[in-house]
């Protein structure tokens, strides 16, 4: 088996060793992706091996990422793997959410069950392992929160030094708190995500620090495991729709690559269609897919949304996301009010998620209303982050104090505020009887 990096940019296609420390094609600046040549195991055998590993106590087999390691064989030695037993996330039924979106059945694959509470762990275990394999000492990323929380944890586990750069004042406390606890050197920069990414790319090159943003092709390899595990859990029955929120568009890129590799190797019988949902105030990919493509990709220089995980105006992976969505897929945008209400509905299912994740349900509801998704379609939406990431948002919504980025108030349609009661059993009894 030969693993190598290839330029994603069409006319170029240059190839590089998998051990070269590059994040873009040195020839043309295009995105890179990992590719593999060589014999592939027969589909039935692979499915069998993956099932058997669920009963194993070996750390790699217990990981919901490395269990599927045949699909991303870029490491030569297992000892380089840094795992916190990521993945292994459930697919959950959600009746209330289904009726809210006016579909028969929507299921959620909840990546918030990961060790640091978001899908970033699926990618970070791969990126951090590659850093170890390359002998790097320091790793860095810019983050809207979850990437830094995840990178800090995996770097700490690997004995690497994590350096994170975050937009000052624009990050949920749950996420910042994690990065501090895991020991990351944390720099709060007075700039937005896209501006800091430009800085950190130069810094990593200058100082020999390994960059772990999603432009890193190995993170994409790890995130492929989300669709692989999903298919395994569905006994290889492909859903009609996989729905995912879009920020920097690394996740949709990984889903598209993962699904098409499963399809090419005969592990699934058809391709799922993908729906990417963006927040209206940070929706450059939605605009691009809506308008005639000859205008090119236009970045949003002032992205705004309370769903901070998808507050990105210049998503690096848009060419890969474009390929993933193809002609069959859909891209939609949803408002702050729609996200907030959808989030509360997901909460009422006993599931819960962070704001960015709820864009999926809001998007399905909108696409269903427009007739673009059918009521009987088989839908799996990916909840990207844990409910505890952003408790401040939850409290404000349920007490009707949530305000959009422009100061407009968001209505607590499904508000469930706490009630203050006196220290008086009679009064409390009365209240509960009423
Ligand atoms: C990172 C993140 C996203 C956005 O994913 P991209 O790969 O950047 O498109 C969405 N939701 C959550 C919770 C995230 O952490
Ligand atoms: Zn190139």
């Amino acid at each position: 088996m030969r693993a190598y990096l290839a330029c994603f940019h069409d006319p170029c296609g240059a190839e590089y060793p998998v051990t070269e420390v590059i994040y873009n094609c040195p020839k043309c600046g295009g995105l890179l992706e990992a590719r593999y040549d060589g014999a592939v195991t027969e589909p039935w055998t692979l499915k069998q091996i993956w099932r058997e590993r669920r009963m194993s106590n070996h750390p790699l087999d217990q990981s919901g990422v490395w269990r599927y390691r045949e699909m991303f064989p870029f490491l030569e030695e297992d000892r380089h793997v840094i795992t916190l037993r990521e993945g292994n996330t459930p697919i959950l039924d959600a009746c209330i959410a289904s009726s809210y979106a006016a579909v028969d059945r929507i299921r959620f694959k909840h990546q918030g069950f990961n060790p640091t509470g978001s899908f970033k762990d699926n990618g970070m275990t791969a990126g951090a392992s590659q850093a170890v394999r390359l002998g790097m000492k320091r790793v860095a990323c810019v983050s809207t929160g979850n990437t830094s929380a995840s990178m800090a944890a995996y770097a700490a586990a690997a004995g690497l030094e994590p350096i994170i750069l975050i937009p000052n004042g624009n990050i949920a406390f749950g996420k910042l708190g994690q990065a501090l606890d895991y020991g990351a050197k944390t720099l709060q920069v007075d700039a937005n995500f896209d501006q800091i990414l430009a800085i950190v790319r130069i810094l990593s090159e200058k100082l020999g620090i390994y960059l772990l943003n999603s432009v890193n092709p190995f993170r994409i390899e790890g995130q492929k495991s989300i669709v692989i595990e999903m298919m395994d859990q569905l006994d290889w029955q492909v859903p009609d729709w996989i729905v995912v929120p879009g920020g920097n568009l690394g996740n949709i890129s990984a889903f598209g690559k993962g699904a098409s590799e499963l399809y090419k190797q005969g592990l699934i019988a058809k391709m799922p269609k993908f729906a990417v949902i963006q927040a209206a105030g940070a929706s450059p990919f939605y605009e691009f897919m809506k308008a005639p493509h000859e205008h090119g990709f236009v970045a949003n220089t002032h992205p705004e949304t309370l769903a901070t995980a998808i507050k990105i105006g210049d998503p690096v992976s848009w060419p890969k996301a474009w390929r993933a969505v193809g002609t069959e897929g859909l891209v939609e945008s949803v408002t702050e009010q729609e996200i907030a209400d959808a989030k509360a509905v997901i909460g009422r299912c006993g599931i819960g998620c962070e704001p960015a994740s709820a864009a999926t349900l809001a998007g399905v509801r909108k696409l269903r209303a427009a007739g673009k998704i059918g009521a009987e379609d088989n839908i799996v939406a990916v909840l990207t982050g844990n409910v505890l990431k952003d408790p401040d948002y939850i409290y404000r919504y349920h007490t009707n104090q949530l305000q959009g980025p422009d100061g407009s108030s968001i209505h607590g349609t499904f508000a469930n505020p706490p009630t203050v009661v006196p220290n008086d059993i009679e009064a409390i009894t009365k209240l509960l009887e009423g």
Side-chain angles (χ1 to χ4, degrees), residues 43-44 47-48 50-51 54 68 91 105 107 227-239 262 266-270 378 380:
W44 190 86
K47 290 177 183 177
Q48 200 71 13
W50 294 340
R51 277 293 159 94
R54 288 196 194 179
Y68 305 102
I91 296 179
R105 186 185 191 195
R107 284 179 288 180
V227 280
I228 304 170
E229 184 181 70
M230 181 194 295
M231 298 305 167
D232 189 358
Q233 288 167 311
L234 298 173
D235 294 318
W236 309 100
Q237 299 304 303
V238 180
L262 288 175
L267 286 143
I268 51 175
K270 65 163 189 172
N378 184 351
V380 180

Side-chain angles (χ1 to χ4, degrees), residues 114-136:
N114 261 297
T116 79
S118 84
F119 76 81
K120 300 300 196 298
D121 293 344
N122 292 71
M124 205 55 75
T125 182
S129 302
Q130 176 70 5
V132 170
R133 179 254 196 105
L134 294 170
M136 307 301 287

